[in-house]
Amino acid sequence: YCVLGFEVDTVNSVQFSNHTGYDHWTGQVMTANELHTLYDGLKLNGVNRYDYVLTGYTRDASFLEMVVDIIRELKCQNPNLVYVCDPVMGDQRNGDGYMYVPEHLLPVYKEKVVPVADIITPNQYEAEILAGKKMNTEKEALEVMDLLHAMGPETVVITSSDLPSSLGKDYLIALGSLRKIKADGTLVKERIRMEIPKVDAVFVGTGDLFTAMLLAWTHTHPNNLKMACEKTASALQHIVRRTINHARGKEPGMWVGGGMLGWGGGTWDGWGGLHCWVVGCRVGWGGCSAEGSVRH
Ligand SMILES: Nc1ncnc2c1ncn2[C@@H]1O[C@H](COP(=O)(O)OP(=O)(O)O)[C@@H](O)[C@H]1O
Ligand SMILES: Cc1ncc(COP(=O)(O)O)c(C=O)c1O
């Protein structure tokens, strides 16, 4: 199907009853073999040419390694392919970080996946464990982003952090960094900081949604990370506000959960012709979350 002008092929990396923030969850984790089988089908039909690949939540190390093999092959098919990786591993609550996927995935992300990624979207905790360095100040955050660039990706966006905001404690900080070596050898560097008004609730799936939106907006604004991030954050802000209003009974007529969140204004039609492969979307029901939106 076609969303925001992208024709998207989705592959489940897991199929769970609900997201793992619930007390219980059941379902299947897809294996490397199963992914390979699907990819083989695409190859046999000669339809394995993509403009973008986006990966998210995964629990299986060999699956991740297979993703890397496939990315390499897809990049041979299309050298301009952009791989957008959300290294979904964990989060922090009240300053304490924790992993919600098996710990042995970290070295696979570090040594194999991040090096082939063009854009990565870790949260603060994920950025810190990938770089092996804490970020307590903005200066340290810039150093962490430089360490992540050195691992491979041209674009690093830290989707949320608890760095202090000059606007007060009701704002969360997101940071972005674009580091590009142009054909003539000059280094282009763009750093951005966004202060995002906090909604007093915990959302699951917003990181996934952020990554999907960033993919779409960096396509429209390939050399303007600020613009791409602003448009991404704007959509997120609309969606979390509508979600919380709905959850509190203030907004009628909208579905929450199961993949039917409304968009907060703007028209994104008519981009046409792009082909994108999303690995790692999830199907979930119930709760106050934005999870369906990742299926873009
Ligand atoms: N409580 C919140 N209030 C406002 N915006 C939020 C909130 N939680 C998440 N977001 C939005 O979702 C984006 C992704 O944040 P988050 O879900 O914390 O990332 P991750 O899932 O990678 O940890 C943020 O940049 C912000 O735009
Ligand atoms: C199945 C699944 N996918 C993805 C995520 C990541 O969610 P977020 O987008 O908030 O980082 C989680 C977090 O619990 C999850 O359980």
Side-chain angles (χ1 to χ4, degrees):
Y1 50 90
C2 190
V3 190
L4 302 185
F6 288 79
E7 191 190 321
V8 183
D9 295 341
T10 56
V11 175
N12 276 354
S13 50
V14 297
Q15 176 168 273
F16 286 168
S17 53
N18 43 265
H19 67 68
T20 56
Y22 283 78
D23 288 344
H24 306 280
W25 43 276
T26 57
Q28 298 82 37
V29 176
M30 201 184 210
T31 64
N33 269 348
E34 287 163 335
L35 176 62
H36 193 249
T37 304
L38 286 180
Y39 180 64
D40 260 354
L42 295 170
K43 239 166 84 172
L44 286 170
N45 287 306
V47 290
N48 58 337
R49 192 187 155 87
Y50 289 91
D51 300 297
Y52 290 88
V53 175
L54 185 160
T55 61
Y57 186 93
T58 314
R59 290 190 75 83
D60 185 89
S62 66
F63 180 95
L64 263 184
E65 284 167 356
M66 181 60 70
V67 165
V68 173
D69 288 350
I70 291 174
I71 299 279
R72 287 190 201 285
E73 209 172 299
L74 290 175
K75 282 194 174 188
C76 291
Q77 288 289 320
N78 175 11
N80 294 323
L81 179 141
V82 175
Y83 171 34
V84 183
C85 170
D86 186 1
V88 180
M89 284 183 285
D91 211 342
Q92 55 193 8
R93 297 264 180 274
N94 309 319
D96 290 326
Y98 60 96
M99 279 186 81
Y100 51 57
V101 300
E103 295 204 354
H104 63 267
L105 259 58
L106 173 59
V108 184
Y109 272 112
K110 235 170 139 163
E111 285 150 31
K112 299 188 173 160
V113 184
V114 172
V116 296
D118 301 287
I119 301 179
I120 57 168
T121 54
N123 58 29
Q124 175 175 356
Y125 172 68
E126 290 155 351
E128 288 178 343
I129 57 174
L130 283 172
K133 181 180 166 61
K134 285 265 183 199
M135 41 185 269
N136 297 312
T137 61
E138 199 169 292
K139 183 171 169 287
E140 285 175 351
L142 295 178
E143 287 164 7
V144 164
M145 290 197 291
D146 278 341
L147 287 169
L148 295 174
H149 282 308
M151 291 164 75
E154 213 163 63
T155 302
V156 174
V157 176
I158 299 179
T159 52
S160 63
S161 78
D162 59 11
L163 289 172
S165 161
S166 55
L167 299 172
K169 64 176 176 38
D170 295 334
Y171 285 78
L172 67 85
I173 305 273
L175 297 164
S177 178
L178 172 74
R179 193 168 172 276
K180 209 174 198 169
I181 299 172
K182 293 211 302 200
D184 64 2
T186 49
L187 180 74
V188 183
K189 226 177 185 182
E190 188 188 347
R191 311 273 211 182
I192 58 152
R193 188 184 70 225
M194 288 187 293
E195 321 231 2
I196 299 172
K198 261 189 216 163
V199 171
D200 188 16
V202 175
F203 297 92
V204 176
T206 36
D208 301 349
L209 175 60
F210 190 104
T211 305
M213 294 302 298
L214 188 71
L215 184 159
W217 286 122
T218 49
H219 174 74
T220 313
H221 307 288
N223 293 310
N224 191 342
L225 185 61
K226 179 172 177 285
M227 183 72 84
C229 283
E230 277 174 0
K231 290 187 175 178
T232 299
S234 164
L236 263 295
Q237 188 66 199
H238 278 93
I239 288 167
V240 294
R241 283 193 186 281
R242 287 190 70 178
T243 304
I244 201 69
N245 284 341
H246 176 79
R248 290 177 182 151
K250 291 185 192 152
E251 184 148 356
M254 197 184 93
W255 265 61
V256 183
M260 289 196 65
L261 277 176
W263 293 105
T267 53
W268 289 300
D269 295 325
W271 291 358
L274 286 157
H275 207 185
C276 173
W277 202 30
V278 179
V279 182
C281 57
R282 59 219 161 95
V283 185
W285 288 270
C288 173
S289 87
E291 53 207 348
S293 313
V294 75
R295 308 192 104 239
H296 291 182

